[in-house]
Amino acid sequence: MANDIAKTNAQFEQVIAECRSLFEKKLHDYGASWRILRPQSLTDQLFIKAKRIRSLEIKKESLVGEGIRPEFVALINYGIVGLIQLYNGFSDTVDITPDEAMVLYDRYAQEALELMKRKNHDYNEAWRGMRVSSYTDFILTKIERIKEIEEIENRGEHLEASEGIDSNYMDIINYAVFGVIKLHE
């Protein structure tokens, strides 16, 4: 079991390194333009990525030519952007440098890794027995929960027993990483 957990940790780190590299390249090309995204817009971006994965899983073909894996990668990166926006707020302008954005990216990617390690220990590698389509459905469920939380907060109501938006972002990141790993295996 310890070898399985060590393998998962290494695979998770490899996927995050790949996502980080893509994020850094896009940051070079576009800057931190995502800083203007309000929470609801970011939720909608996550939604369209997850819905596309589900559509591709059901239809078994892509007319655009891009497959499921790049969408899981996008969910990971947008999930990390979501955490950055959640804790730093959105901006009307690009207000951070690429270097500052990468420091934030690394902080939240590390937090996602640490959460995955704790949960994977407790769940005993259960994710390996799941189907990729289940990760997609769980991600869509998390997005629906985020939408509900956003609506409740917009109405000024108090949340009683729900996890916060940050917990849902973390779960989206982790399920998407598992999806990338499973698609590779």
Side-chain angles (χ1 to χ4, degrees):
M1 179 47 77
N3 288 340
D4 291 339
I5 289 177
K7 179 181 175 183
T8 295
N9 293 349
Q11 288 175 308
F12 193 101
E13 289 174 7
Q14 287 174 328
V15 170
I16 291 296
E18 174 190 338
C19 294
R20 184 189 192 280
S21 175
L22 178 62
F23 186 85
E24 192 168 35
K25 288 173 186 168
K26 288 191 174 196
L27 198 57
H28 177 268
D29 290 347
Y30 307 120
S33 57
W34 45 264
R35 286 290 295 136
I36 67 167
L37 288 173
R38 290 175 287 174
Q40 295 83 356
S41 299
L42 192 54
T43 302
D44 287 344
Q45 183 66 15
L46 289 165
F47 177 74
I48 64 171
K49 296 295 182 184
K51 286 294 281 189
R52 182 163 188 274
I53 293 170
R54 187 169 166 139
S55 173
L56 293 174
E57 289 170 345
I58 293 167
K59 294 176 184 172
K60 307 280 190 233
E61 76 171 319
S62 168
L63 297 182
V64 178
E66 295 176 353
I68 292 171
R69 192 177 190 283
E71 300 298 354
F72 275 127
V73 168
L75 284 168
I76 295 162
N77 282 342
Y78 278 115
I80 292 172
V81 166
L83 291 167
I84 293 169
Q85 296 295 82
L86 187 64
Y87 292 117
N88 293 288
F90 64 91
S91 177
D92 287 331
T93 61
V94 176
D95 62 347
I96 59 175
T97 66
D99 288 340
E100 291 168 328
M102 291 312 300
V103 167
L104 292 168
Y105 185 97
D106 290 340
R107 177 191 313 163
Y108 296 114
Q110 185 64 37
E111 283 184 23
L113 171 64
E114 294 305 320
L115 176 65
M116 183 281 298
K117 286 179 178 180
R118 291 190 305 273
K119 286 188 171 187
N120 197 36
H121 171 271
D122 289 356
Y123 286 94
N124 213 18
E125 291 281 295
W127 72 273
R128 289 198 180 273
M130 295 170 59
R131 293 172 274 245
V132 173
S133 60
S134 294
Y135 305 139
T136 305
D137 291 349
F138 291 159
I139 288 168
L140 283 164
T141 300
K142 296 293 180 178
I143 293 166
E144 286 302 317
R145 289 179 181 171
I146 291 169
K147 287 181 178 183
E148 286 299 317
I149 293 168
E150 288 171 347
E151 290 305 314
I152 290 168
E153 288 177 351
N154 283 342
R155 292 191 305 262
E157 296 175 13
H158 177 67
L159 299 174
E160 294 295 327
S162 67
E163 292 180 321
I165 292 174
D166 56 344
S167 295
N168 287 289
Y169 283 147
M170 286 288 194
D171 287 343
I172 289 167
I173 293 165
N174 287 336
Y175 284 130
V177 170
F178 291 156
V180 171
I181 292 170
K182 289 282 279 218
L183 288 170
H184 179 74
E185 289 184 335

